[in-house]
Amino acid sequence: MANRRASGEGLLRWRKDRKHWEGRITIGISEDGKSISKCFSGKTQREVIEKMTRFREQLHGMTLSADSRMKLKDWSERWLNEYMVHVIRPKTISRYRGMLQLHVYPYLGDYRISKITTIQVQRMYNDLKENGRRRDVKKLGKGLSGNTVRGIHMLLHEIMEYALKENMILKNPTNGTTIPKIEPIELQVLNEKQLKTFISALQSDEAWSDFFYLEIMTGLRRGEICALQWSDLDMVEKKLYVNRSASYQGEVGKTKTLYSERVIKLPQSVYEVLIERSKTSQSEWIFPHPKDTSKPMPGDIALRRLRKILESAGLPHIRFHDLRHTFATHAVSAGIDPKTLSSILGHSKASFSLDRYGHVTAEMQKG
């Protein structure tokens, strides 16, 4: 027969079939009015009572909601679809979902959210840092970068904070974990000789020469250049209005931030290239999809083309974003001031541009 304790202190009994003591505490009420309980077991009655006492102290009188039984992957999807739908951009939601599916769900996705512990989260971070890549990448190894693990931590921490507010968990299990330090990102930039080689290689690629020449002369983000329309070009003032961005797959939305919406004064050579291109264009997009001119250029197609151009020209492999770094670095070398550079790049503060490309100024002073 079960040994009942005082009201509110839970149930305690000896399980003859399993030869151990078992305790049970009510921690919440489900939507249909049934009790939600948490069980404890131990070899002695005292051991179980101590476990129950420690847990009761953690509750602080709080009652967990019925949603505490949700799996992490189900709660994360609800968080994205209901809590974040009008807070962050669809592109960001898609990126968050990809991070969760690739890096978090394989470890914790099927666990009840209320049962995830700090040590489980820590072990996940450690393994991602050592073996987080799906394949071994040359120069990078099998593990994720410290910055990527930190990004995963920040995302999971926010998901758990919302769960805490909804009384789904007693504490945020991401608190108390140790995450990698911020790793400074080494900028990959084409030097003056390599840049000349790159521009020379563009001349033999008629289909893409205008695209990459505009990129190397303005430092636009990949999504921004892909989403340009002819209506964004002021042919009188020789200005380019940047006010939208295309995703990796070609879906058009807002720019990265409010500061990303900007007006760029075009160099004469770039202006002439665009004017000449406009004479034969049959699309509203300056750089339309190669197979469907009613759609903008998808970012993944542009990236694949960049790799082929670099390979054929014997240039080092760089990311598309490194073309932006190349523009900014050479602009600083030419003497452009940080305030002007930040307005061209769409940075919120000139200090950010100065911090990112200040090494160029230092080298100029040394020279």
Side-chain angles (χ1 to χ4, degrees):
M1 181 177 177
N3 296 319
R4 293 191 174 277
R5 312 182 77 216
S7 178
E9 293 192 2
L11 179 82
L12 185 66
R13 64 179 179 176
W14 168 253
R15 294 290 301 272
K16 292 182 179 180
D17 55 339
R18 298 180 182 175
K19 297 182 180 180
H20 68 260
W21 284 89
E22 180 183 80
R24 188 185 301 268
I25 296 178
T26 299
I27 60 175
I29 304 296
S30 65
E31 293 179 354
D32 57 5
K34 296 182 179 180
S35 298
I36 300 175
S37 302
K38 182 173 178 62
C39 297
F40 305 85
S41 62
K43 294 181 180 180
T44 65
Q45 185 179 25
R46 181 175 180 178
E47 180 184 352
V48 176
I49 292 175
E50 288 178 349
K51 288 181 179 180
M52 294 168 69
T53 301
R54 285 195 299 269
F55 185 80
R56 197 178 293 108
E57 290 174 351
Q58 292 179 338
L59 281 173
H60 294 299
M62 185 176 78
T63 301
L64 293 181
S65 69
D67 289 337
S68 63
R69 293 182 172 181
M70 288 185 71
K71 293 180 179 180
L72 174 62
K73 60 184 179 183
D74 296 329
W75 165 243
S76 298
E77 288 301 317
R78 178 191 288 186
W79 179 77
L80 289 171
N81 296 329
E82 298 180 11
Y83 290 79
M84 294 291 106
V85 63
H86 297 305
V87 179
I88 55 181
R89 298 181 303 163
K91 181 179 178 181
T92 304
I93 289 179
S94 178
R95 182 166 61 86
Y96 284 171
R97 181 174 286 112
M99 289 172 63
L100 291 167
Q101 292 175 345
L102 186 61
H103 300 306
V104 178
Y105 293 167
Y107 294 88
L108 304 173
D110 289 323
Y111 279 85
R112 285 187 183 180
I113 192 168
S114 58
K115 291 185 176 296
I116 295 175
T117 64
T118 299
I119 188 60
Q120 285 178 307
V121 176
Q122 183 66 66
R123 286 170 179 167
M124 179 185 73
Y125 293 162
N126 294 345
D127 194 56
L128 288 173
K129 187 68 176 71
E130 295 176 5
N131 305 290
R133 296 184 186 276
R134 285 177 292 181
R135 55 189 176 87
D136 195 347
V137 179
K138 188 177 181 180
K139 295 184 179 180
L140 297 177
K142 295 176 62 177
L144 297 179
S145 70
N147 293 343
T148 300
V149 175
R150 290 179 70 91
I152 295 169
H153 165 75
M154 293 171 66
L155 174 58
L156 184 58
H157 175 83
E158 193 68 10
I159 292 172
M160 289 299 189
E161 280 296 291
Y162 273 77
L164 189 61
K165 293 175 184 177
E166 295 294 333
N167 290 345
M168 297 171 64
I169 55 177
L170 296 177
K171 67 173 186 176
N172 190 329
T174 64
N175 291 333
T177 57
T178 302
I179 56 177
K181 296 180 180 179
I182 296 177
E183 300 171 356
I185 299 175
E186 182 180 352
L187 302 184
Q188 293 179 286
V189 174
L190 297 177
N191 59 36
E192 187 173 350
K193 181 179 179 181
Q194 291 171 331
L195 182 56
K196 289 180 179 179
T197 301
F198 181 73
I199 294 177
S200 178
L202 295 180
Q203 296 175 359
S204 59
D205 193 337
E206 184 177 349
W208 286 89
S209 59
D210 296 349
F211 181 91
F212 285 109
Y213 186 69
L214 174 62
E215 172 59 32
I216 207 69
M217 294 294 286
T218 59
L220 291 169
R221 296 181 179 90
R222 180 174 57 186
E224 294 170 348
I225 188 172
C226 288
L228 288 175
Q229 294 181 340
W230 287 113
S231 58
D232 301 325
L233 177 62
D234 187 332
M235 297 185 180
V236 177
E237 297 293 329
K238 301 180 182 180
K239 294 178 179 179
L240 190 65
Y241 290 80
V242 182
N243 49 38
R244 73 185 68 83
S245 180
S247 71
Y248 203 71
Q249 292 77 25
E251 299 172 354
V252 179
K254 296 181 179 180
T255 54
K256 183 178 181 181
T257 66
L258 179 63
Y259 295 97
S260 298
E261 295 187 9
R262 59 199 187 278
V263 182
I264 299 176
K265 182 69 174 179
L266 293 174
Q268 181 64 26
S269 62
V270 177
Y271 170 73
E272 292 175 358
V273 164
L274 292 180
I275 289 297
E276 192 64 28
R277 184 179 183 83
S278 67
K279 295 177 181 179
T280 57
S281 176
Q282 297 180 347
S283 172
E284 64 177 323
W285 306 99
I286 295 181
F287 302 107
H289 193 294
K291 296 182 179 180
D292 185 351
T293 57
S294 66
K295 298 179 180 179
M297 176 71 69
D300 59 344
I301 293 179
L303 178 59
R304 288 199 296 270
R305 193 62 194 179
L306 172 62
R307 290 171 177 168
K308 289 183 178 179
I309 294 173
L310 293 171
E311 184 178 356
S312 63
L315 293 170
H317 169 75
I318 61 173
R319 304 167 302 167
F320 193 98
H321 203 72
D322 290 323
L323 295 179
R324 178 174 165 87
H325 294 322
T326 297
F327 160 78
T329 300
H330 286 276
V332 173
S333 297
I336 192 171
D337 64 278
K339 181 66 176 177
T340 302
L341 179 62
S342 67
S343 66
I344 295 174
L345 294 176
H347 289 162
S348 59
K349 297 179 180 179
S351 58
F352 180 83
S353 301
L354 187 60
D355 290 341
R356 178 62 64 90
Y357 304 108
H359 67 286
V360 181
T361 304
E363 291 175 3
M364 290 169 60
Q365 291 175 344
K366 183 178 179 180

